[in-house]
Amino acid sequence: MHWADQLLSGFYDAKWQVTADQAIYYREIVGNAFGLGSALFGMRRSVWAWPVGIVGNVLLFTVFAGQAIGNDQGTPLFGQAARQVFFVIASVYGWWRWNQNSRRSSDGTAVRPHWATARQRVVYGSLALFAVVLCFYVFRAVGAGFPVPWWYYLADSWIFVGSMLATYALARGWVEFWLCWIAVDLVGVPELLHFRYYPSAVLYAVYAVFVIWGFVVWLRISRAESGTPSAAAERPAGSGKDAATADIHSN
């Protein structure tokens, strides 16, 4: 339909010209809003976290690819763009896994937060370290010629790998998911500010607040559902699902 094509084209090109050489695409703002919505659904253990996140990932890919796909927004952030592609793939897996869990669970719970085992931490931590080093050299080779400092490639490598690790951890229900996101934000926010992706930088800073909140919520749920003595004293009356819900609404 012609009107739909015009609508989509208009949205794709719409931007706020901040200065003569700096524009902010509305796609960046809307994409990050969907990302925030996905984080909120994830904190509440809702399957909607995944499809909402996918919409944001597609929009943000078109932003962070930057000059590489003809945008005039600025330096393309390969790690930021590449992780959006992975997010879509991982979100399909997470969406499927949480749906399967909710069907198998007697109370319809999509995921039960818990800590990863020591072995899982060692294995995935080692793989992440190797992947960061590998991505550093790959991104530097791909971005040869861009006027950026060397640390850009290292920062983008960690953002890419850390985001992959965090998304996988979310699908598995590991409490470490939130800690991994904090580590990604500590690098991502300064990088985005440096390269003038201001809406994403601001929203990433907002994410950090929700990530800390989400960590506390999932930590309390994991303690309640594991039946630890300290959690039992704080646990509200009712089923495990009711207690988890009460934990969420009490924050």
Side-chain angles (χ1 to χ4, degrees), residues 88-111:
V88 172
I89 298 171
S91 292
V92 172
Y93 165 72
W95 197 354
W96 170 82
R97 186 180 180 91
W98 282 27
N99 271 316
Q100 290 293 103
N101 290 344
S102 63
R103 290 173 184 172
R104 294 171 183 169
S105 175
S106 59
D107 57 7
T109 301
V111 65

Side-chain angles (χ1 to χ4, degrees), residues 81-224:
R83 73 175 185 156
Q84 307 303 324
V85 177
F86 174 82
F87 282 163
V88 172
I89 298 171
S91 292
V92 172
Y93 165 72
W95 197 354
W96 170 82
R97 186 180 180 91
W98 282 27
N99 271 316
Q100 290 293 103
N101 290 344
S102 63
R103 290 173 184 172
R104 294 171 183 169
S105 175
S106 59
D107 57 7
T109 301
V111 65
R112 299 189 183 279
H114 60 283
W115 291 97
T117 65
R119 181 177 181 277
Q120 288 170 329
R121 292 175 188 171
V122 171
V123 170
Y124 287 101
S126 300
L127 288 174
L129 180 61
F130 172 77
V132 168
V133 175
L134 177 63
C135 287
F136 172 74
Y137 287 105
V138 171
F139 290 167
R140 191 168 65 173
V142 172
F146 284 111
V148 293
W150 68 270
W151 57 260
Y152 155 77
Y153 299 108
L154 183 60
D156 234 24
S157 298
W158 162 242
I159 289 169
F160 177 53
V161 175
S163 298
M164 290 194 298
L165 186 60
T167 306
Y168 180 75
L170 173 62
R172 296 292 298 271
W174 294 344
V175 178
E176 286 91 343
F177 154 71
W178 302 101
L179 297 178
C180 194
W181 265 123
I182 292 173
V184 170
D185 285 341
L186 287 174
V187 175
V189 172
E191 182 195 55
L192 290 167
L193 286 173
H194 179 83
F195 290 106
R196 300 191 296 180
Y197 286 85
Y198 298 124
S200 292
V202 171
L203 285 170
Y204 270 47
V206 174
Y207 285 166
V209 176
F210 283 97
V211 165
I212 294 171
W213 181 17
F215 171 70
V216 173
V217 170
W218 272 39
L219 180 62
R220 295 173 73 179
I221 294 173
S222 68
R223 287 176 176 173

Side-chain angles (χ1 to χ4, degrees), residues 220 236-237 241-251:
R220 295 173 73 179
K241 184 179 180 182
D242 292 336
T245 304
D247 270 332
I248 291 176
H249 288 294
S250 67
N251 285 276

